[in-house]
Amino acid sequence: MAAVIELDGLNVRFGPRDILKDLRCSMSGRAIGLLGPNGAGKSTLINTLLGFYRPFAGTARVFGHDIRTETRQIRALTGYMPESDCFIASMTAVNFIRMMAELSGLPSDAALERAHEALFYVGLGEARYRRLGTYSLGMKQLAKLAQAIAHGPKLVVLDEPTNGLDPPARQRMIRLIREMRDTNEVSILISSHLLRDVEETCEEVLILKEGHQVHYANLEEERRANRRFLELETVGGDNGFADAVSALGCECALTSAHRMKMVLPESFAIRELYRLAGERNIQIRRLSYRRDSLEDIFLKAMESTNGRP
Amino acid sequence: MAVHKRSYRSYAGALTPAWSRFTIITRYAFRNLFRSRMLTAYFVCCFFYPLGCAAVIYVNHNLSLLTSLNIREVLAIDADFFMHFLAVQSAFAFILTAIVGPGLVSPDLANNALPLYLCRPFSRAEYVIGKMAILLWLLSLITWIPGLVLFGIQASLAGAPWAWANIGLAWGIFIGSAIEILVFSLLSLAISAWIKRKIAAGAALLGVFFFGSGLAQVINAVLETKNGYLIDLGNLLTTVEGSLFGHANPVGISASSAWIALLAACVFCIALLERKVRAYEIVVG
């Protein structure tokens, strides 16, 4: 799959302070998560990709376009939902989103049509003729999402999309992001400090700490790999069970008399374990896959010294 | 993304030319501006004086009317007439700028809307030009456009010899108005970009002219010089316009100094805009 975002030794400096330090990564997932504590550089990275800040050293590419020289092309392919409240309070939602779509290059009629569609899509159809200044926080977030997608970009950048949302509104936002991701028509870059949001929506994750890249993980691959690690707790029988399992091609290690960990081969079917247990009159009391959650990955990444892995 | 389908789809239709996008901002701003009845009424008032001038020119060339009133000539239609016209319309233009200008950039800054404009294929320069175009249009409609219409009326009534002999007046009307519009627009945009509150920005614009004029007088009196006029924008504009109509300013500075000072003011305003019109401010340190 072609890279959506490539970071090539990217360094961003404000005055004497290095904000982003030598980021190197290639991300090609449909939904990419940017994780990190406050001040890690997530928003700075987004703003640099959009051309708001100039790199001090290195560069980055979005769909192959260099951020140093092809900012306009990148912006033409991108929709951006900022973290802070951004809107023109005196405009109605439909007029505001129409204007934003026109600024992205859509003709006036097409922009109007897509403004209506985008507002219906995010669930603001009934409120589209209301002034943005009268919207609640959740509605403003949805309006920001609508303006980011109205012109049909190839990459949607969402900076803390669930900030300040109550649980139902958050669920709605997450569902919209997942729906967009699953259309395969758009790539999504989500910056968040909420692990759950990223875990529920993203396929890849880049973790930043103090401007350093501390971890990059393909969550889909990790989830697939985790499915091969198994923990088993049995009652009855003897150690012969472990040998029998090993004979089927599993790597097996006993952690206690009735507990074992195993790595399953690619084509191994779990029913084989139940069959072996049945033959040996062994009860399988617990069978669990290793679940290296994003929280584990994140905490491990945060343990690294000075933000370095 | 049809309404009934409610699913995301990208856009693959035609796009507008990149050069024309600044006009979108201007179009939306105009739609918003003329919702205000007060502004619309004031804008209409700005045409009363040009209409009066047109009537004077017409009466001046209507021999039968003049004879019946036993008047030889109402007013001489010469450089003074057009300079006076420009001075009156400049006052209207300044007030119009003070009403419209502060509301151009400051609401976008107050609402943090700049990242939404600038994350699109739309540059900071286009944003400023789009906003400035609003004032350029409005001020043009009440200064050089009626000025040239009056010149055209006079030329058509007085004949080609008068037109050729006074073609410099047309040039003076256009250049004098253009520099004035440029200064008013850039100054109001710069102030609007630095002061988020619309009312405060309007007050600051008035302050720049009136406080500048007062400060210039103080500098001149204390230092016994004329260089204080260099910070008096009103005097600078009068000097430049006077030079275009062949009048030297008897008390102020030279026309060339006034030109240089006005250009410096424009450059300063552009620098202020360059610093402030950004998606996000960079905090250094």
Side-chain angles (χ1 to χ4, degrees):
Chain A
M1 196 187 283
V4 177
I5 296 166
E6 294 165 274
L7 308 178
D8 188 2
L10 183 67
N11 192 308
V12 174
R13 182 178 284 188
F14 294 164
R17 284 188 301 147
D18 279 324
I19 308 298
L20 295 177
K21 299 154 194 168
D22 196 32
L23 303 186
R24 289 175 194 277
C25 187
S26 176
M27 295 173 275
S28 53
R30 293 180 302 170
I32 301 159
L34 273 182
L35 267 179
N38 292 333
K42 304 184 296 288
S43 294
T44 304
L45 176 57
I46 285 176
N47 292 336
T48 308
L49 292 175
L50 288 169
F52 296 155
Y53 303 147
R54 280 198 72 76
F56 177 72
T59 190
R61 282 174 288 279
V62 178
F63 293 117
H65 296 289
D66 196 301
I67 60 165
R68 284 180 179 273
T69 53
E70 296 169 287
T71 310
R72 208 172 173 108
Q73 288 91 323
I74 291 170
R75 289 177 182 172
L77 296 170
T78 309
Y80 172 49
M81 175 183 171
E83 179 184 1
S84 55
D85 261 359
C86 296
F87 52 85
I88 300 169
S90 59
M91 287 182 94
T92 62
V94 73
N95 266 342
F96 171 69
I97 289 160
R98 179 191 192 182
M99 182 174 82
M100 290 297 151
E102 281 190 62
L103 288 174
S104 292
L106 270 66
S108 190
D109 291 344
L112 180 61
E113 183 187 351
R114 288 192 65 104
H116 281 281
E117 289 176 357
L119 285 165
F120 267 107
Y121 178 57
V122 301
L124 291 176
E126 300 304 318
R128 65 195 193 280
Y129 293 110
R130 267 174 60 186
R131 287 176 184 227
L132 287 161
T134 67
Y135 274 19
S136 67
L137 183 61
M139 291 167 88
K140 282 174 187 166
Q141 289 288 85
L142 291 171
K144 279 196 291 178
L145 177 65
Q147 65 78 33
I149 62 172
H151 55 290
K154 282 178 73 179
L155 172 67
V156 177
V157 180
L158 309 173
D159 198 352
E160 307 281 1
T162 57
N163 247 10
L165 297 184
D166 58 21
R170 181 190 160 274
Q171 274 307 321
R172 184 183 187 88
M173 180 65 79
I174 295 291
R175 184 176 56 76
L176 284 169
I177 294 169
R178 287 162 75 157
E179 269 179 25
M180 283 196 296
R181 180 197 68 189
D182 294 339
T183 59
N184 290 323
E185 290 208 25
V186 63
S187 299
I188 302 170
L189 176 66
I190 302 169
S191 160
S192 181
H193 60 273
L194 300 175
L195 300 176
R196 232 178 111 196
D197 289 357
V198 172
E199 191 158 33
E200 286 180 32
T201 53
C202 294
E203 295 171 343
E204 286 178 46
V205 62
L206 176 68
I207 302 177
L208 300 176
K209 182 183 175 188
E210 292 167 10
H212 289 284
Q213 173 185 329
V214 285
H215 192 74
Y216 164 74
N218 186 321
L219 293 178
E220 276 302 295
E221 276 177 17
E222 297 226 359
R223 281 170 196 145
R224 267 199 301 273
N226 284 347
R227 268 180 225 124
R228 295 176 54 221
F229 290 87
L230 207 63
E231 284 178 340
L232 212 63
E233 197 177 316
T234 58
V235 173
D238 53 22
N239 289 350
F241 181 67
D243 295 336
V245 172
S246 300
L248 290 172
C250 300
E251 289 174 40
C252 201
L254 285 170
T255 53
S256 67
H258 296 288
R259 282 183 186 170
M260 62 185 78
K261 285 185 176 177
M262 54 184 72
V263 181
L264 308 177
E266 281 290 341
S267 56
F268 189 84
I270 295 292
R271 63 173 173 273
E272 292 294 320
L273 283 179
Y274 292 116
R275 186 180 59 76
L276 278 178
E279 283 171 3
R280 289 163 188 274
N281 205 22
I282 292 171
Q283 295 174 16
I284 295 179
R285 287 292 175 89
R286 194 166 68 86
L287 183 152
S288 58
Y289 294 103
R290 187 180 78 177
R291 198 165 176 279
D292 206 0
S293 69
L294 185 57
E295 190 173 352
D296 298 327
I297 295 171
F298 183 75
L299 290 174
K300 263 185 248 168
M302 287 301 109
E303 279 165 14
S304 58
T305 347
N306 294 328
R308 290 181 189 283
Chain B
M1 199 165 28
V3 168
H4 62 280
K5 284 185 183 166
R6 301 211 184 157
S7 67
Y8 182 85
R9 77 180 158 87
S10 55
Y11 177 76
L15 295 176
T16 53
W19 64 264
S20 68
R21 307 233 174 110
F22 76 91
T23 60
I24 296 162
I25 286 191
T26 314
R27 180 156 42 86
Y28 276 87
F30 267 124
R31 203 180 291 172
N32 197 33
L33 274 179
F34 285 102
R35 282 205 189 115
S36 159
R37 285 184 192 167
M38 192 199 84
L39 178 75
T40 310
Y42 178 75
F43 191 63
V44 169
C45 290
C46 293
F47 292 97
F48 288 167
Y49 188 72
L51 282 172
C53 288
V56 167
I57 292 171
Y58 175 75
V59 169
N60 227 20
H61 291 277
N62 194 325
L63 197 59
S64 57
L65 184 66
L66 289 174
T67 312
S68 67
L69 294 171
N70 205 18
I71 303 168
R72 218 180 108 247
E73 193 177 53
V74 178
L75 266 176
I77 311 299
D78 54 12
D80 285 344
F81 175 85
F82 284 104
M83 203 175 151
H84 190 257
F85 163 81
L86 207 54
V88 172
Q89 289 306 99
S90 295
F92 279 113
F94 178 70
I95 295 168
L96 188 61
T97 307
I99 296 170
V100 176
L104 292 178
V105 181
S106 55
D108 289 342
L109 286 170
N111 289 314
N112 294 317
L114 283 181
L116 297 181
Y117 287 104
L118 302 177
C119 70
R120 295 162 203 286
F122 189 71
S123 66
R124 293 193 291 156
E126 285 169 302
Y127 174 83
V128 171
I129 291 168
K131 292 286 182 186
M132 205 168 141
I134 300 157
L135 283 172
L136 296 185
W137 268 109
L138 286 176
L139 301 188
S140 292
L141 283 169
I142 63 168
T143 53
W144 65 269
I145 292 176
L148 290 184
V149 169
L150 290 179
F151 181 85
I153 293 169
Q154 167 66 11
S156 67
L157 294 173
W162 183 92
W164 285 116
N166 294 282
I167 195 74
L169 293 179
W171 185 243
I173 292 166
F174 178 71
I175 296 293
S177 301
I179 185 72
E180 192 177 274
I181 291 169
L182 190 68
V183 171
F184 286 171
S185 307
L186 282 173
L187 191 66
S188 65
L189 283 179
I191 288 172
S192 179
W194 278 80
I195 301 173
K196 284 186 181 177
R197 284 185 168 272
K198 201 173 157 183
I199 294 171
L205 182 65
L206 295 171
V208 167
F209 272 82
F210 295 115
F211 181 74
S213 174
L215 189 64
Q217 298 291 348
V218 171
I219 291 171
N220 287 344
V222 171
L223 301 177
E224 294 179 357
T225 175
K226 285 184 177 178
N227 290 335
Y229 288 122
L230 289 171
I231 59 164
D232 181 356
L233 287 175
N235 194 285
L236 293 174
L237 285 169
T238 307
T239 305
V240 163
E241 283 165 12
S243 74
L244 290 167
F245 288 94
H247 290 275
N249 189 344
V251 292
I253 52 172
S254 68
S256 55
S257 302
W259 272 107
I260 291 167
L262 285 177
L263 290 177
C266 291
V267 170
F268 182 64
C269 290
I270 291 168
L272 288 176
L273 284 167
E274 200 280 330
R275 183 130 177 80
K276 204 69 182 176
V277 178
R278 292 170 184 270
Y280 294 106
E281 280 192 74
I282 297 173
V283 182
V284 178

